[in-house]
Amino acid sequence: MTPKKTSEEDELTFEQALEKTALEDKAKAKVIADEEGRRRRSLPVLLRGFRDILPDEQGKWNLLRTTIQQIADAYSFDRIELPLLERVDLFTRTIGKQSDIIQKEMYVFEDQAGDKVALRPEGTASVARAYINHGMMNLPQPVKLWYMGPMFRHDRPQAGRYRQFHQAGFEMIGNEEAIVDAQLIVLAFQILKEIGIPITVQINSIGTAECRREYLVELANYFRPFRKKLGEDDKKRLLKNPLRILDSKDPAVQELLAGAPQIVDWLDDVSKAHFMKVLEFLDEAEVPYALNPYLVRGLDYYTHTVFELWEDGDNGELSQNALGGGGRYDGLLELLGCRPTPACGFAFGLERIIRAMADRQIDPPARPVAKVFFAQLGDAARRVGLRLFEEFRKAKIPVAEATGKNALKAQLEVANKLNVAYTLILGQKEVLDGTIIIRDMDSGAQEIVDMKKVTSILQRKLEQSEGVNPLSHTPVADQKQGTDIIAK
Ligand code: HAM
């Protein structure tokens, strides 16, 4: 704007002026982009493989958790809560040094006292530790325990595979009989059936350590001539733990599997009889299962029965997406210094079940939807409102409100959108009179009632109004709309 600048600009040709403007625009855009980049870099970021469970999903989680809890109670399992951190050797001693979990997936660190600790990658080892620490061998056997909570594995994140995920696990410790294996499988099947997810149990027996020894030699002999065809991981497995080759996802290995020796042919008589009994019990209970000779599971502590829960009609990625898995682990407690103690268990992967629920549109509402809206005008009304909300809670009448909106019109608009049956209106006059207005949202009719009687009157009205139960649910889509509006 200075005369000098104007004269300089006057001297530019049209092309030069255009170029100058373009350069200035570019510089401005860069400043804005840098600013945006800085802003973004300073925003908090969620760790890879970790996720928030948002209000939208809570209906599914509630149904899943409640169903698990109810069926656990019905089958007389006792709940146990275990710490998230354990000494690292608890897991290295039990899960197996060559397993993926121990080799690469555990979150391990040294705490301030110099103890090497790990975020738990699973629950079975902790349950076994607790059984020993609390002398549960002195209780009537089997001890039936269940747990639910987050687990941590530094795995490669992908669909259905997280670094923090949740498991619900069931363990029966102190009984070696096949009925225990069968009862756990029936329980898993029933929980998923109750929720509405049809599954087939994939099942195998890997016998005892003794009968496996001979089989492993045979298996390694079979794969050795094909060594060149194996990937790096499978080559390592061939040397250290040939059983895990059966679990390989490599198509070249999967082709070779057809000719590989099968563990069932190496089972001793006791292992065979145990497995046959488990299958007979499953037939009896009408649980659909498929014999899967390649199922070996990724943890080393298993003996005899191993199983996984595969959703019916999955898209071929079944083994990567098991909704749960488990088996017998007769040697695990002994590894931890206990006398020989047979045990069996399984764990669900809750995120995977939630995903299956979403695929099947199983989506109950997260909480009872309010049929009553409370509109208050002024601070005196707000004060009374605090007390009234407590009265309504005790009477089990969920009430919505729009704190932050002062005008009656605006509050009634929210009430309309929430589709409530009644709105309570409390102004300064009503506070002074000890009354409150009940507005019927369908007819628009209003009546003034004694504030002391409002809870019982509302209760009666809600009971009377056809099909309206104060605790009934409305579809999630409607709730969402309501929440959004309140949020605004
Ligand atoms: P697991 O097969 O390692 O067994 O895990 C059980 C289930 O947890 C899996 O079937 C899967 O649904 C879920 N899961 C595992 N890793 C992930 C992940 N990274 N992201 C999401 N879900 C996952 C065990 O943990 C044994 N403790 C089960 C058991 C109990 N065996 C005997 N008793």
Side-chain angles (χ1 to χ4, degrees):
M1 295 292 269
T2 61
K4 190 165 179 275
K5 198 174 174 204
T6 313
S7 70
E8 260 178 17
E9 275 178 0
D10 284 347
E11 283 162 21
L12 294 178
T13 63
F14 179 64
E15 283 77 15
Q16 283 170 327
L18 264 186
E19 196 181 332
K20 184 166 178 260
T21 316
L23 283 174
E24 279 169 2
D25 284 352
K26 217 168 147 189
K28 263 189 224 151
K30 185 168 179 314
V31 171
I32 292 172
D34 285 353
E35 190 59 35
E36 179 64 14
R38 253 194 304 280
R39 198 180 63 78
R40 283 195 186 194
R41 275 195 297 279
S42 68
L43 290 179
V45 180
L46 189 62
L47 279 174
R48 226 164 95 72
F50 286 70
R51 60 194 292 273
D52 300 311
I53 303 174
L54 296 172
D56 265 6
E57 272 187 276
Q58 294 297 339
K60 291 195 263 304
W61 281 89
N62 284 348
L63 176 67
L64 178 55
R65 290 191 186 112
T66 315
T67 308
I68 290 171
Q69 158 103 52
Q70 282 169 351
I71 296 186
D73 290 349
Y75 278 75
S76 300
F77 276 77
D78 290 314
R79 177 136 191 195
I80 183 163
E81 302 215 13
L82 303 151
L84 300 193
L85 271 188
E86 294 270 11
R87 293 177 65 102
V88 75
D89 60 343
L90 175 68
F91 302 115
T92 41
R93 283 164 74 185
T94 52
I95 295 175
K97 291 206 171 63
Q98 297 310 322
S99 65
D100 285 352
I101 296 181
I102 300 298
Q103 287 277 310
K104 48 190 179 191
E105 294 173 3
M106 257 204 309
Y107 282 87
V108 179
F109 60 94
E110 219 174 78
D111 71 7
Q112 283 83 342
D115 285 328
K116 228 171 170 205
V117 295
L119 279 173
R120 63 180 188 189
E122 59 114 42
T124 310
S126 300
V127 171
R129 178 198 49 67
Y131 176 92
I132 297 169
N133 290 163
H134 301 284
M136 292 188 207
M137 58 290 281
N138 301 318
L139 300 174
Q141 307 290 304
V143 171
K144 298 165 80 173
L145 298 170
W146 77 281
Y147 53 89
M148 183 148 56
M151 306 291 161
F152 303 84
R153 295 183 192 175
H154 197 274
D155 207 346
R156 197 165 59 82
Q158 50 191 292
R161 199 166 283 275
Y162 304 101
R163 289 180 175 169
Q164 178 180 327
F165 59 98
H166 294 77
Q167 280 188 351
F170 290 78
E171 316 287 353
M172 283 173 81
I173 305 179
N175 189 307
E176 64 189 4
E177 286 176 57
I179 188 67
V180 166
D181 314 26
Q183 191 181 72
L184 285 158
I185 295 172
V186 170
L187 176 93
F189 172 73
Q190 291 302 347
I191 288 175
L192 292 169
K193 187 171 167 205
E194 190 77 16
I195 288 166
I197 303 173
I199 57 143
T200 299
V201 178
Q202 301 285 316
I203 192 166
N204 192 17
S205 171
I206 55 169
T208 60
E210 290 73 47
C211 52
R212 220 154 41 229
R213 204 163 295 137
E214 244 181 86
Y215 169 70
L216 290 181
V217 173
E218 202 64 30
L219 192 65
N221 286 343
Y222 171 79
F223 276 109
R224 213 164 286 122
F226 304 112
R227 212 176 158 277
K228 286 207 178 90
K229 285 193 177 178
L230 304 182
E232 281 315 304
D233 275 355
D234 286 328
K235 273 188 193 135
K236 268 190 222 149
R237 286 173 178 156
L238 182 57
L239 279 178
K240 307 225 160 147
N241 189 358
L243 200 61
R244 296 277 291 120
I245 297 186
L246 299 182
D247 211 17
S248 172
K249 303 292 172 282
D250 183 343
V253 177
Q254 292 201 332
E255 255 176 50
L256 292 174
L257 285 183
Q262 298 192 351
I263 179 91
V264 276
D265 299 325
W266 266 260
L267 294 183
D268 57 38
D269 289 346
V270 176
S271 301
K272 250 186 233 159
H274 182 93
F275 193 36
M276 290 312 295
K277 261 192 175 168
V278 175
L279 299 181
E280 278 166 23
F281 285 132
L282 294 184
D283 286 331
E284 187 71 27
E286 295 181 16
V287 172
Y289 64 83
L291 296 175
N292 183 340
Y294 308 121
L295 187 78
V296 290
R297 313 261 307 123
L299 305 101
D300 280 2
Y301 50 60
Y302 291 113
T303 51
H304 297 290
T305 321
V306 287
F307 59 93
E308 281 186 355
L309 314 161
W310 290 10
E311 187 183 358
D312 286 346
D314 203 314
N315 55 10
E317 297 276 284
L318 292 164
S319 58
Q320 303 250 41
N321 284 313
L323 301 181
R328 190 159 266 289
Y329 47 94
D330 288 348
L332 188 148
L333 281 111
E334 210 176 335
L335 280 178
L336 294 176
C338 191
R339 64 177 179 224
T341 308
C344 190
F346 76 94
F348 287 122
L350 301 189
E351 278 76 3
R352 297 204 186 158
I353 300 179
I354 294 290
R355 197 173 59 160
M357 290 167 82
D359 290 346
R360 292 173 188 274
Q361 268 113 44
I362 302 167
D363 200 4
R367 59 177 167 84
V369 168
K371 294 283 171 201
V372 175
F373 185 89
F374 179 63
Q376 24 59 19
L377 302 164
D379 272 351
R382 285 197 174 110
R383 266 194 295 278
V384 177
L386 287 177
R387 185 171 50 73
L388 277 180
F389 259 87
E390 237 337 79
E391 272 182 34
F392 296 139
R393 180 188 69 77
K394 285 182 186 148
K396 296 195 164 55
I397 304 175
V399 180
E401 60 173 343
T403 24
K405 293 204 187 294
N406 292 326
L408 182 59
K409 187 163 173 276
Q411 295 188 57
L412 286 178
E413 270 168 21
V414 179
N416 258 326
K417 284 186 180 144
L418 289 177
N419 207 14
V420 295
Y422 300 98
T423 293
L424 303 172
I425 303 170
L426 187 63
Q428 206 147 354
K429 177 174 182 318
E430 288 75 29
V431 173
L432 288 175
D433 293 351
T435 59
I436 192 164
I437 299 168
I438 303 181
R439 180 185 172 95
D440 183 316
M441 296 301 281
D442 266 346
S443 65
Q446 297 193 166
E447 61 180 303
I448 301 171
V449 302
D450 182 346
M451 202 182 318
K452 289 200 194 84
K453 296 192 183 143
V454 65
T455 313
S456 55
I457 295 173
L458 262 184
Q459 239 166 353
R460 208 166 40 245
K461 280 181 183 292
L462 288 167
E463 275 162 21
Q464 275 166 6
S465 45
E466 209 191 353
V468 180
N469 166 347
L471 291 176
S472 74
H473 298 141
T474 56
V476 164
D478 292 351
Q479 282 185 38
K480 245 185 157 166
Q481 192 188 18
T483 329
D484 284 345
I485 288 154
I486 289 180
K488 278 173 205 160

